[in-house]
């Protein structure tokens, strides 16, 4: 069969499910390529991550079209045999970077997040590193809450032994950090560690744990970033407080906007100021930056 793969809304990030679908079909002798509207296919897989993303607006010339991803169905998952496939990195011409999950699920059950509803309320090991990594120089880890997994030490040790640069893209749960875990994490060749500070109720424990992590590891804002959730049950004053507090602690703040389409102009300005690091370093106060925008 001739297979086409279409990622509706993951243009700046490789679509891992489609890479696994590609690998499965190639294993079964099918020809696979990124979807081209000029061609006709036996089957086209359409993947969408966000439910607010518009559908692909043009005709798809195929005998069968399969739509998947949380943008279409929050409960749908890949078939087990497809999920276990080693990703076809050639789909995106990826040679030196590996993408994957070592764990799935999260016990936090945050209202804004789909993970616990889709993957379960317990963080469990679903793979070894070798399931998606074969010597690439960089590993982008997509786990929702690795530190909540009972097998975390074993999995972190696999990352240490890989000697690859590690990007913990989705955030390590700083509330679960211990001295032992911090030591193990810092034995990895770190490209970037992400944490998150979402709610005001967690402020005391998060700031305390961040200070401890900073004191133990000496890591700075070049390799330690903290996601700040905005436009979801927080005041703008608290949003700004988190930015300044993280900057003072020596971490790199990064604004995430929930329901961005309906966010206020002020929150959009905050995101632009914080996330553009050139502007953020030159203009030290948001009040000055916002005044310039008018």
């Amino acid at each position: 069969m001739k297979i086409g793969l279409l990622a509706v809304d993951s243009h700046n990030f490789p679509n891992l499910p489609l890479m696994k679908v590609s690998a499965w079909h190639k294993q079964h002798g099918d020809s696979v390529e990124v979807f081209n509207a000029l061609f006709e296919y036996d089957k086209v897989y359409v993947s969408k991550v966000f439910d607010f993303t518009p559908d692909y607006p043009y005709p798809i010339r195929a005998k069968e079209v399969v739509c998947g991803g949380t943008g279409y169905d929050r409960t749908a998952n890949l078939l087990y045999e497809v999920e276990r496939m080693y990703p076809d990195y050639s789909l995106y011409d990826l040679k030196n970077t590996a993408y994957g999950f070592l764990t799935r699920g999260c016990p936090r059950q945050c209202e804004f997040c789909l993970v616990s509803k889709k993957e379960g309320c317990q963080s469990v090991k679903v793979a070894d590193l070798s399931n998606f990594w074969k010597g690439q120089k960089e590993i982008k880890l997509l786990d929702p809450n690795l530190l909540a997994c009972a097998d975390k030490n074993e999995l972190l040790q696999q990352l240490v032994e890989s000697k690859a640069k590690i990007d913990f893209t989705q955030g390590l749960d700083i509330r679960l950090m211990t001295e032992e875990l911090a030591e193990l994490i810092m034995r990895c060749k770190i490209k970037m560690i992400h944490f998150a500070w979402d709610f005001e109720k967690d402020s005391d424990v998060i700031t305390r744990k961040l200070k401890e992590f900073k004191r133990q590891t000496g890591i700075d804002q070049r390799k330690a970033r903290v996601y700040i959730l905005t436009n979801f049950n927080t005041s703008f004053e608290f949003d700004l407080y988190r930015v300044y507090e993280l900057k003072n602690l020596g971490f790199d703040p990064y604004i995430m906007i929930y329901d961005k389409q309906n966010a206020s102009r002020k929150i959009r300005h905050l995101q632009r100021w914080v996330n553009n690091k050139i502007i953020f370093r030159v203009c030290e106060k948001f009040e000055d930056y916002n005044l310039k925008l008018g």
Side-chain angles (χ1 to χ4, degrees):
M1 289 197 300
K2 185 176 182 179
I3 307 297
L5 303 177
L6 173 58
V8 176
D9 57 2
S10 54
H11 307 300
N12 298 319
F13 202 87
N15 189 295
L16 182 59
L18 290 185
M19 287 193 282
K20 293 185 176 184
V21 169
S22 176
W24 188 87
H25 273 284
K26 285 183 177 180
Q27 187 181 73
H28 288 77
D30 299 322
S31 67
V32 183
E33 64 184 33
V34 174
F35 172 78
N36 187 322
L38 299 177
F39 300 152
E40 187 171 346
Y41 298 89
D42 294 301
K43 194 171 188 177
V44 170
Y45 290 86
V46 183
S47 176
K48 190 167 72 159
V49 177
F50 304 109
D51 55 13
F52 55 78
T53 304
D55 280 341
Y56 182 73
Y58 307 108
I60 296 176
R61 300 166 62 197
K63 295 174 184 176
E64 183 181 1
V65 177
V66 178
C67 295
T70 52
Y72 290 115
D73 185 349
R74 295 184 176 187
T75 63
N77 292 297
L78 292 175
L79 295 175
Y80 177 79
E81 57 268 29
V82 179
E83 181 65 54
R84 299 294 293 177
M85 293 298 298
Y86 182 83
D88 176 15
Y89 292 114
S90 68
L91 188 67
Y92 293 100
D93 195 29
L94 293 169
K95 296 181 175 63
N96 290 315
T97 307
Y99 293 77
F101 294 84
L102 294 171
T103 66
R104 295 276 195 170
C106 178
R108 294 299 182 183
Q109 302 182 60
C110 299
E111 292 180 51
F112 64 85
C113 181
L114 295 174
V115 170
S116 59
K117 302 179 184 69
K118 183 178 174 66
E119 301 178 3
C121 299
Q122 183 178 357
S123 177
V124 295
K125 175 184 173 181
V126 295
D128 287 304
L129 185 57
S130 59
N131 291 121
F132 59 86
W133 174 80
K134 290 182 179 178
Q136 290 92 333
K137 294 179 180 179
E138 183 177 337
I139 297 167
K140 289 191 178 291
L141 205 62
L142 310 178
D143 297 44
N145 199 333
L146 173 62
L147 299 190
C149 178
D151 300 302
K152 54 186 175 292
N153 290 65
E154 171 204 340
L155 296 172
L156 286 169
Q157 185 60 38
Q158 291 183 27
L159 295 173
V160 171
E161 293 173 0
S162 75
K163 300 188 186 319
K165 290 183 178 180
I166 311 298
D167 184 352
F168 295 94
T169 67
Q170 299 305 301
L172 293 172
D173 193 336
I174 190 66
R175 294 164 291 186
L176 301 176
M177 189 65 68
T178 64
E179 288 190 8
E180 179 188 9
L181 287 173
E183 181 180 347
L184 194 51
I185 288 167
M186 294 309 296
R187 286 174 57 200
C188 296
K189 189 184 293 183
I190 299 296
K191 180 176 182 179
M192 182 64 75
I193 298 176
H194 292 83
F195 298 114
W197 184 358
D198 298 322
F199 302 117
E200 192 164 2
K201 65 181 178 61
D202 297 322
S203 295
D204 289 345
V205 65
I206 287 177
T207 53
R208 175 171 57 82
K209 288 286 190 176
L210 286 174
K211 288 176 182 177
E212 291 173 357
F213 186 78
K214 174 82 172 180
R215 184 169 56 251
Q216 182 180 352
T217 65
I219 199 168
D220 62 24
Q221 70 274 8
R222 293 171 297 177
K223 292 186 177 182
R225 178 171 292 160
V226 181
Y227 294 128
I228 297 175
L229 180 68
T230 63
N231 204 41
F232 188 90
N233 292 346
T234 57
S235 66
F236 185 82
E237 289 72 24
F238 180 60
D239 297 340
L240 195 56
Y241 166 77
R242 283 179 287 172
V243 171
Y244 289 141
E245 183 67 11
L246 288 170
K247 191 175 182 181
N248 290 335
L249 290 174
F251 291 87
D252 181 31
Y254 192 88
I255 299 293
M256 307 290 286
I257 301 180
Y258 181 83
D259 189 18
K260 188 172 182 178
Q261 298 177 111
N262 296 308
S264 70
R265 187 165 174 263
K266 199 171 185 180
I267 288 178
R268 289 170 182 267
H269 284 182
L270 181 69
Q271 184 186 54
R272 194 185 310 167
W273 172 60
V274 173
N275 294 1
N276 186 318
K277 298 307 173 183
I278 295 176
I279 297 175
F280 189 59
R281 293 186 184 99
V282 171
C283 187
E284 293 190 359
K285 294 291 184 180
F286 173 73
E287 294 80 0
D288 298 332
Y289 174 73
N290 197 44
L291 186 63
K292 291 177 183 179
L293 292 179

